[in-house]
Amino acid sequence: MIAPATGPALAPVRAAIRQAARAEAARRLRSADARAAATLAGARAGAQLALRDARAAGTAEARALGADDLAGWQLEARTIVLAARRERYDEVRRQALDRLRRAGLEPTLRARIVGVLGTDADIEPVPAGGLVGRAGERTVDCSLTALVDHAMSKVAGRIEEAWT
């Protein structure tokens, strides 16, 4: 068996080996630190890119959803406005029919039909009010609903202006 070399002559060799081992350990530690720093920097850069992309995608999706919501709200508002206008139109029409029914217009309407179709015209009352006259293939509709609808169509532009 060989005795361990412990003599003073080997002390410089042991010191050199220790120094070389420490230098190698320090080099490997620096290399590992550099690799770890590079890996960490790459991970951070990747995370920042992923975060940027996620924010952009989220912003785009939010805009799209916001646009859809806005379009839905605009449609709902338009529907409400149109329903209110229709309600008001129907109310004005109903009031006009009521006034015409109370006005006792039958003699005036009869004279109008005779003036257009002649004295041989067949004149009949309309259940909703007013008269309809016929002579051959010609017809004069003086029903109250026809008269109100005609009057409402004449003022439709002014009604629209009042609503805007």
Side-chain angles (χ1 to χ4, degrees):
M1 175 156 180
I2 301 178
T6 59
L10 294 178
V13 173
R14 280 194 305 261
I17 291 174
R18 266 186 285 206
Q19 187 175 346
R22 285 185 187 127
E24 179 64 17
R27 186 191 64 73
R28 287 186 181 192
L29 187 56
R30 284 191 305 273
S31 176
D33 285 345
R35 284 193 313 269
T39 301
L40 185 58
R44 283 185 179 143
Q48 286 180 343
L49 286 174
L51 181 60
R52 186 197 69 206
D53 291 348
R55 281 183 179 150
T59 300
E61 187 174 337
R63 283 188 182 128
L65 290 174
D68 288 348
D69 287 348
L70 180 59
W73 295 330
Q74 287 173 331
L75 178 61
E76 185 177 342
R78 180 78 174 143
T79 300
I80 291 167
V81 167
L82 290 175
R85 285 181 180 180
R86 183 62 198 199
E87 241 178 71
R88 183 63 183 138
Y89 177 89
D90 289 346
E91 178 60 21
V92 168
R93 186 175 181 275
R94 186 193 61 73
Q95 288 176 6
L97 281 169
D98 288 347
R99 286 183 180 164
L100 288 179
R101 284 186 186 109
R102 290 191 308 266
L105 295 176
E106 189 171 319
T108 305
L109 297 177
R110 187 174 295 280
R112 175 72 178 146
I113 291 171
V114 169
V116 172
L117 297 178
T119 56
D120 292 338
D122 291 327
I123 301 174
E124 299 175 5
V126 176
L131 302 170
V132 172
R134 292 182 183 80
E137 292 184 19
R138 298 181 340 162
T139 301
V140 173
D141 185 354
C142 286
S143 64
L144 298 183
T145 56
L147 295 173
V148 168
D149 289 343
H150 178 72
M152 295 288 282
S153 72
K154 292 289 186 185
V155 296
R158 288 186 293 197
I159 292 171
E160 184 65 28
E161 287 172 14
W163 284 332
T164 57

